Amino acid sequence: MTEARGSTGQRDGAGAVRRAPGTPCWVSLMAHGLATTQEFYGALFGWEFRPGPEQLGPYVRALLDGHEVAGIGQMPAGQHLPIAWTPYLASDDVDATAELVRHLCGTIGVGPLDAGEAGRMAIAVDPAGAVFGIWQAAAHLGAAIVGEPGALAWNELVTPETAGVVKFYQAVFGYEEEAVVSADFDYVTLKVDDRPVASVHGVGQALPQDRGAHWMTYFEVADVDESVNRVIELGGHVLKPARVGTHGRVATVADPEGAVFTLVRSDVPPES
């Protein structure tokens, strides 16, 4: 289930590999309370933190065993945007990708803009309303660890139906697709170079009205049930209790500010 790691050629100083275009390469959260959010995820996943690019305002990169795995930023005062984890999809030219998003009836909410020497970024919205990031790597290639406890495991787009939105992402990033043939399960796996990197789940009327279409971030854990209990102890809450799902044993939870994510113990071991 773990994301494709892209080319095995260039690595940055943190050990991350340059990903092929369209591959999820990073995940970031904008929170109101930066310090308290760090405390929550540090206690849950064992993350430590160091400052990120100054151009992004108050922002830290989360480290797992010294390797960068995610970013957390401070929501600007006065803004009341939804608190949500946002995946970043790799691009060789963020400006060209942003222009393609606009041409295909998506929108660009932020950027493109430079994040210091780290790279260049934009925040986009697909035609169904789901928010995602676009990352053109320079010094910062993205997450250095995936698929291990405490790190990103998977990204899944939850949307009303897959057909239209999959065509959008294919046109922007060149994905190959593998659909599940089922009368009652609308599910597509997105591939880069024939390797699964993300999925799209059409849920129809079951889409949460308070969230709309959205990308769901999966974080790997060693024990889902223990992690769920830890979330509760730390002030978060459970949206969907632990169960066996498509990707292994999963539970959907939210941090104290309401950012939703899924805990997963994958059936398939992480790639080496």
Side-chain angles (χ1 to χ4, degrees), residues 173-184:
F173 294 106
Y175 292 122
E176 307 144 27
E177 67 170 289
E178 180 179 310
V180 172
V181 179
S182 172
D184 57 357

Side-chain angles (χ1 to χ4, degrees), residues 75-227:
M75 184 77 75
Q79 288 196 14
H80 300 285
L81 300 174
I83 305 297
W85 282 100
T86 301
Y88 281 75
L89 308 179
S91 170
D92 288 339
D93 185 336
V94 69
D95 294 81
T97 302
E99 189 57 36
L100 198 51
V101 166
R102 295 188 186 98
H103 179 71
L104 294 166
C105 300
T107 57
I108 298 297
V110 177
L113 55 85
D114 289 326
E117 297 179 352
R120 189 163 170 79
M121 60 163 284
I123 301 294
V125 184
D126 72 25
V131 177
F132 64 98
I134 306 166
W135 182 253
Q136 179 182 335
H140 177 63
L141 300 182
I145 299 176
V146 294
E148 298 179 12
L152 176 67
W154 192 246
N155 292 281
E156 181 171 277
L157 174 60
V158 183
T159 192
E161 55 84 26
T162 63
V165 77
V166 166
K167 290 180 180 177
F168 166 82
Y169 283 98
Q170 285 180 314
V172 175
F173 294 106
Y175 292 122
E176 307 144 27
E177 67 170 289
E178 180 179 310
V180 172
V181 179
S182 172
D184 57 357
F185 191 54
D186 185 13
Y187 189 91
V188 173
T189 300
L190 301 178
K191 295 183 172 183
V192 172
D193 298 331
D194 203 36
R195 302 172 73 183
V197 297
S199 53
V200 184
H201 189 186
V203 298
Q205 297 302 313
L207 190 71
Q209 294 299 311
D210 59 337
R211 298 193 68 200
H214 61 277
W215 280 91
M216 174 66 75
T217 298
Y218 286 69
F219 289 109
E220 189 77 23
V221 292
D223 187 307
V224 170
D225 299 86
E226 287 184 5
S227 295

